Amino acid sequence: MSKQSSRIAVFLILIAAAHASAEPLPYGKAIASDTAPRTSITDYQAHIAELEGEHGRDGFALAEHWLDLGLAQRNASDHGGAVDSFSNALQIRRTHLGLHDPGQIPIIDLLIESHRAQGNWEQVDAHFKLLASVHPPESRDMAEQLVEIWMRYARWKREAHRLPTSQPPYDHLVLGWEATEHALVVAASAYGERDQRLVEMLNLRAALAYDMVRYVSTGASDGMVNRTPQRINTSLELATSEFIERQNDAAISSRNHFIHSFIDGRVALEEAMEIQRSAGDVRGEAHAAALLGDWHFLFSRPQTAAKRYAEAQRLLRADGAEPASALFLQPRALPEFTPAADTTTKLMTLDNMGNYALARFDVDSKGRARNIKIVKTRPASSKDIARKARKHVAATLFRPRIDNGKPVRTPDVEVRYVLPDAGGARRAPGKDASPGS
């Protein structure tokens, strides 16, 4: 059972216990990904039709049966049918228990999962929005659940800006940034402003700030209006002077976004480091210093980055760790402010063909891959996989190996990149760029 499913199970059991003396809630059992239908889909449908005839379509007891039917359909890979069934269960529950009932969260999660399985990103986004609206803003008695919801929403928005949705990519990132702000406000109020649980939120803010910089710096968006600009035809639509003026405005806007995002991310990482220092967590502080070094390294500030890396190594040495700890022993692909999107592992496991490329290269002191060689691909004859992997490695910035606070060249780094059909190379989850990996 997954970690998320385990949390859902505990949450549902608590709900059932709290309402033991009242009308039984239909969600007192765990909703897990490995739930097997005890009855056939046809039998569920027949029973639901019978109950609707007796009690109407909105009877509260029907919610449980729609949920059971949806689970059976999902386990049979009928995600379209599961969406309909889960939607019916959700609608009944919201009708009877209100729009902010926390018991609907597991059903929304199931809808997100089924829409994701169909690649229906618009509906995934819509249900993440619904998830974020479950608790009223003034609710403080379920701070942990609120923080988790806002963090999940922020992670989704970071993922969504790379997916084909009707919303502009930059808007996704802005909404993700705002979601981390909501999470921080709730967490600081409930736990205190120096609680270590805030570190994850601050790191995610840095990741979103970096994504904003990357997106705006590509020229793919007009950051001032958060929309994709129309192609400019100077010969037909604009005079030369007007074209130059608009180009200058775009350059200024991009530069402002770059500066503000750099500052926002740096401040978030500095706050995370201060929290770890206040908590007396030396290794946590060292890790935060390394991430702050990464931030400066990504923004072409190698001298400041080296100071932060040296500081992290000093902290580790003072805590009894080896100077060449796992943080600096081998090059690591950047950025590393937050774990990869939840879909990475799913893509890896769904790629049953095992398409991959094994790349070997050197990482210089500036974090760039040199002498890139594609040692092996699967399928062996795929020039496309080799080309994509080479391009991906060449575009990746690495934290170089750090020796006594100084970045040094590392030869013969080997990394296997998995290339799912969706395109783009992905480093195997949990594997850093290291020799022999």
Side-chain angles (χ1 to χ4, degrees):
M1 183 181 293
S2 67
K3 183 178 179 182
Q4 179 179 337
S5 297
S6 299
R7 289 179 178 175
I8 291 172
V10 172
F11 187 54
L12 295 172
I13 291 169
L14 290 174
I15 291 174
H19 290 77
S21 60
E23 181 182 6
L25 290 177
Y27 305 114
K29 59 179 180 301
I31 299 176
S33 58
D34 57 354
T35 302
R38 299 179 180 177
T39 309
S40 71
I41 290 174
T42 303
D43 288 341
Y44 277 129
Q45 291 170 331
H47 189 50
I48 288 171
E50 180 182 345
L51 288 174
E52 286 182 337
E54 295 177 3
H55 307 288
R57 297 178 60 87
D58 296 324
F60 186 64
L62 274 167
E64 178 179 7
H65 300 288
W66 278 119
L67 178 60
D68 286 337
L69 174 58
L71 290 169
Q73 290 167 322
R74 183 197 61 177
N75 291 346
S77 297
D78 178 12
H79 295 291
V83 164
D84 291 340
S85 297
F86 293 146
S87 296
N88 286 333
L90 180 64
Q91 180 59 41
I92 292 172
R93 187 173 186 97
R94 286 167 70 86
T95 298
H96 284 268
L97 298 177
L99 303 181
H100 299 300
D101 163 45
Q104 67 187 288
I105 292 174
I107 311 176
I108 298 174
D109 284 338
L110 289 168
L111 280 161
I112 289 172
E113 178 185 322
S114 291
H115 283 301
R116 189 185 282 279
Q118 295 176 295
N120 191 343
W121 307 120
E122 295 291 349
Q123 285 300 315
V124 172
D125 190 49
H127 283 83
F128 265 109
K129 290 178 183 176
L130 184 61
L131 188 66
S133 72
V134 168
H135 293 281
E138 65 274 9
S139 175
R140 289 294 181 270
D141 57 340
M142 301 185 74
E144 185 176 353
Q145 287 80 7
L146 270 171
V147 169
E148 182 177 354
I149 285 173
W150 283 120
M151 287 291 285
R152 287 182 59 198
Y153 185 70
R155 293 189 195 99
W156 158 247
K157 283 300 183 181
R158 189 182 178 213
E159 177 189 356
H161 97 277
R162 299 184 179 93
L163 295 171
T165 69
S166 61
Q167 192 166 32
Y170 192 84
D171 285 3
H172 283 301
L173 294 173
V174 170
L175 289 170
W177 176 270
E178 292 174 354
T180 61
E181 181 66 28
H182 289 307
L184 282 165
V185 168
V186 174
S189 176
Y191 313 137
E193 295 183 353
R194 285 291 179 261
D195 191 279
Q196 286 181 287
R197 281 170 284 191
L198 274 65
V199 169
E200 181 184 1
M201 304 164 214
L202 292 164
N203 288 345
L204 181 55
R205 281 174 76 77
L208 285 158
Y210 182 68
D211 286 341
M212 289 182 195
V213 169
R214 283 207 308 180
Y215 184 73
V216 173
S217 64
T218 61
S221 75
D222 180 349
M224 293 294 289
V225 295
N226 301 337
R227 61 177 175 82
T228 301
Q230 307 221 339
R231 184 180 298 276
I232 298 174
N233 186 327
T234 57
S235 62
L236 296 178
E237 297 177 15
L238 296 175
T240 302
S241 60
E242 185 179 353
F243 171 72
I244 294 173
E245 183 179 349
R246 289 179 64 167
Q247 289 290 83
N248 289 338
D249 288 344
I252 294 171
S253 171
S254 179
R255 180 64 178 169
N256 287 340
H257 274 273
F258 184 93
I259 293 172
H260 288 304
S261 295
F262 169 77
I263 294 172
D264 288 340
R266 187 198 67 198
V267 168
L269 293 171
E270 288 174 343
E271 288 181 9
M273 188 172 174
E274 182 58 37
I275 288 173
Q276 300 287 34
R277 182 182 292 121
S278 299
D281 185 344
V282 178
R283 297 203 178 195
E285 184 183 353
H287 184 255
L291 293 182
L292 193 52
D294 291 344
W295 185 257
H296 289 283
F297 196 78
L298 285 164
F299 284 88
S300 302
R301 296 165 60 91
Q303 292 182 342
T304 306
K307 291 179 181 178
R308 290 299 187 180
Y309 291 150
E311 182 179 4
Q313 286 194 318
R314 286 196 301 271
L315 287 165
L316 290 169
R317 195 178 291 113
D319 197 48
E322 291 293 328
S325 71
L327 284 176
F328 304 111
L329 185 61
Q330 297 296 340
R332 301 170 75 96
L334 298 178
E336 274 208 333
F337 308 119
T338 187
D342 294 340
T343 54
T344 302
T345 302
K346 186 172 291 187
L347 285 168
M348 296 287 293
T349 57
L350 290 177
D351 186 23
N352 295 325
M353 297 301 294
N355 296 337
Y356 71 90
L358 179 63
R360 180 184 297 146
F361 48 93
D362 303 336
V363 176
D364 65 19
S365 60
K366 296 181 180 179
R368 289 298 181 186
R370 306 297 181 190
N371 304 321
I372 302 170
K373 297 178 182 178
I374 305 303
V375 179
K376 184 179 180 181
T377 66
R378 180 175 178 180
S381 60
S382 177
K383 293 182 179 180
D384 184 57
I385 287 178
R387 179 184 59 80
K388 288 180 178 179
R390 184 184 296 276
K391 182 178 179 181
H392 181 79
V393 174
T396 300
L397 183 65
F398 294 85
R399 175 200 296 164
R401 183 166 64 90
I402 306 297
D403 187 4
N404 291 322
K406 296 182 179 180
V408 297
R409 184 183 184 90
T410 306
D412 297 328
V413 174
E414 282 193 359
V415 182
R416 189 179 73 162
Y417 291 88
V418 172
L419 291 96
D421 292 337
R426 288 182 180 270
R427 187 159 47 94
K431 283 195 174 185
D432 298 320
S434 58
S437 63

